[in-house]
Amino acid sequence: MKHNRKWLALALSGALALSLLAGCAETQTPDAATGNSDPDTQETVEETSSDALVIAEQGIFSVGGTVISSDGTFDVANYYTSRTGSTSHVDHANVLYQIPENATGLPMVFLHGYGQSRMGWMTTPDGRDGWSDMFLRMGHSVWLIDQPRRGEAGQTSVAGTITTEPSDQTWYTQFRIGTYLNDEFTYNEGSQFPQGDNVLDQFFRQMTPDTGMDSANGDQNIDNEVVARAVAAAIDEIYERTGQESILVTHSQGGLPGWETARYTDHIAAIVAIEPGGAPQTDSEAYNALLEQDIPVTFYYGDYIGDEFADVPVAAMWSMMAASADVFTEAYNGAGGSSTVVHLPDEGITGNDHFMFQDLNNDVIAEHIETWIQENAAA
């Protein structure tokens, strides 16, 4: 109910300076004769108000992208069918933001991964707090991106073809939640992913197609430069509005354009990469931009990674992907930068999959990240 009230309020009103009370306080009921609140109810409200999440400002905007046009002269007499001499605003990012009443930390920009949208940061499949709420409570403003050609930023300059081929089991396995055996979804041993048919239904329904991807023909490539330029434009806009640099939090596929973003803006305070699709090559332009701007970087990896997990089909593949973070970190630190690689099991935090920000212990991981931020990129 907490999430429904907050995001429904945004959709219906679009108002700024809206206070969202996310606690479980009882509603005050005015006395019919006097209009005064019941004293007992008032006391309950006061006792629970400390848990309220108060938003001082919120909104939504598009940023970056380009405008394309068709040849010819627009025929106003046939305006509904005419496409000659027309324009289209495309390839932008869409940003939903919230600023808490007592903002003390740097802005946090969240960039989702493949087949996802900003929804993944906002809630969990079983309806608990997402990271956006958690970091708001820690004093950060949050800026949630739908990357170009995805979600509410679906307008594209490239005509993709969206496949209708079923693939839930494929991604479930790829994400290291478990796999599919004997006509049912299984969970890795000790999994922190919330369980139940309703949970899986919610999880699979958050998958979001890329409108510029030719996925019907097997092409899963994403234009990292288009995404990076739009994310950079968002970070520059945030700097204009707040006067602060941003902490960029990326996930999975979003990690690749996340590195490239440093080539197009100098307002990144730090990068938190949640199981990115890889680290930058040490001789790349992205690597050099990160190093020149002295941007601190941290990588986070969950459980079930490595050859010892013989019953996890993708454990070895993820081990190779995570190894790129080690190569990057050694070179980056050797060149004077600051990079850390966090394997959660080494921290005593176990059972996490590719969607650690939706797992049952997502609050523990959020606190771990906040500690890193305070030590490396405090406001």
Side-chain angles (χ1 to χ4, degrees):
M1 181 178 294
K2 174 165 52 180
H3 299 283
N4 290 342
R5 287 176 178 171
K6 181 174 67 178
W7 300 112
L8 181 58
L10 175 62
L12 293 178
S13 66
L16 303 181
L18 177 64
S19 296
L20 298 176
L21 302 182
C24 299
E26 296 178 23
T27 302
Q28 299 182 40
T29 303
D31 180 88
T34 66
N36 294 326
S37 300
D38 179 75
D40 294 334
T41 304
Q42 179 67 36
E43 182 178 356
T44 303
V45 172
E46 291 175 352
E47 289 175 352
T48 59
S49 62
S50 61
D51 191 46
L53 175 57
V54 182
I55 304 302
E57 180 180 341
Q58 65 181 15
I60 190 168
F61 61 90
S62 294
V63 66
T66 189
V67 179
I68 59 175
S69 59
S70 57
D71 295 334
T73 301
F74 181 71
D75 182 6
V76 69
N78 296 292
Y79 73 93
Y80 194 74
T81 57
S82 176
R83 297 295 184 267
T84 59
S86 295
T87 58
S88 186
H89 291 65
V90 297
D91 298 344
H92 47 269
N94 186 268
V95 184
L96 186 155
Y97 71 93
Q98 291 185 304
I99 301 174
E101 183 178 50
N102 298 310
T104 56
L106 291 175
M108 296 186 71
V109 178
F110 290 88
L111 179 63
H112 60 78
Y114 178 87
Q116 299 293 309
S117 69
R118 59 170 159 251
M119 177 182 177
W121 306 109
M122 294 160 58
T123 186
T124 65
D126 58 338
R128 290 172 294 109
D129 275 357
W131 274 8
S132 60
D133 275 5
M134 291 180 183
F135 284 102
L136 280 167
R137 292 182 183 279
M138 294 177 194
H140 298 275
S141 61
V142 297
W143 307 73
L144 304 157
I145 289 180
D146 272 357
Q147 64 177 261
R149 305 169 184 172
R150 201 82 59 82
E152 291 188 80
Q155 191 82 320
T156 176
S157 63
V158 179
T161 53
I162 298 172
T163 182
T164 57
E165 185 177 20
S167 59
D168 287 347
Q169 285 75 3
T170 297
W171 296 113
Y172 186 86
T173 304
Q174 174 77 0
F175 296 152
R176 301 194 324 280
I177 299 170
T179 189
Y180 193 78
L181 295 171
N182 302 319
D183 296 325
E184 66 178 1
F185 289 100
T186 67
Y187 297 85
N188 290 326
E189 184 177 356
S191 173
Q192 291 278 0
F193 194 82
Q195 299 185 19
D197 290 342
N198 290 337
V199 170
L200 290 179
D201 181 73
Q202 288 296 307
F203 178 70
F204 290 131
R205 292 187 187 281
Q206 73 184 35
M207 294 291 287
T208 308
D210 190 300
T211 58
M213 182 185 294
D214 195 14
S215 55
N217 294 312
D219 180 9
Q220 296 179 351
N221 292 320
I222 292 173
D223 192 325
N224 289 328
E225 182 177 354
V226 167
V227 178
R229 286 183 180 275
V231 174
I235 290 174
D236 287 345
E237 176 68 18
I238 294 166
Y239 184 80
E240 287 294 319
R241 293 182 180 216
T242 67
Q244 294 180 303
E245 295 185 342
S246 295
I247 298 166
L248 177 59
V249 184
T250 67
H251 177 232
S252 196
Q253 165 266 315
L256 299 179
W259 308 124
E260 299 291 329
T261 299
R263 296 173 56 195
Y264 307 111
T265 179
D266 56 2
H267 296 309
I268 299 175
I271 295 179
V272 178
I274 308 299
E275 296 202 355
Q281 295 289 327
T282 55
D283 59 349
S284 66
E285 293 184 48
Y287 175 89
N288 291 332
L290 292 165
L291 191 59
E292 288 169 8
Q293 297 180 47
D294 194 24
I295 298 174
V297 172
T298 186
F299 298 80
Y300 273 76
Y301 292 94
D303 215 331
Y304 316 112
I305 295 175
D307 294 335
E308 66 270 26
F309 295 99
D311 57 339
V312 179
V314 295
M317 183 210 74
W318 273 105
S319 181
M320 290 187 292
M321 293 177 69
S324 69
D326 295 326
V327 172
F328 170 91
T329 296
E330 182 178 2
Y332 199 66
N333 290 342
S338 175
S339 177
T340 59
V341 182
V342 178
H343 293 279
L344 291 175
D346 295 342
E347 306 292 310
I349 304 172
T350 61
N352 292 107
D353 47 76
H354 191 50
F355 279 75
M356 62 181 70
F357 46 91
Q358 296 192 342
D359 286 341
L360 295 171
N361 60 347
N362 63 345
D363 57 336
V364 175
I365 303 169
E367 289 285 356
H368 197 286
I369 291 171
E370 177 63 11
T371 298
W372 181 87
I373 290 172
Q374 292 301 319
E375 294 174 352
N376 294 273

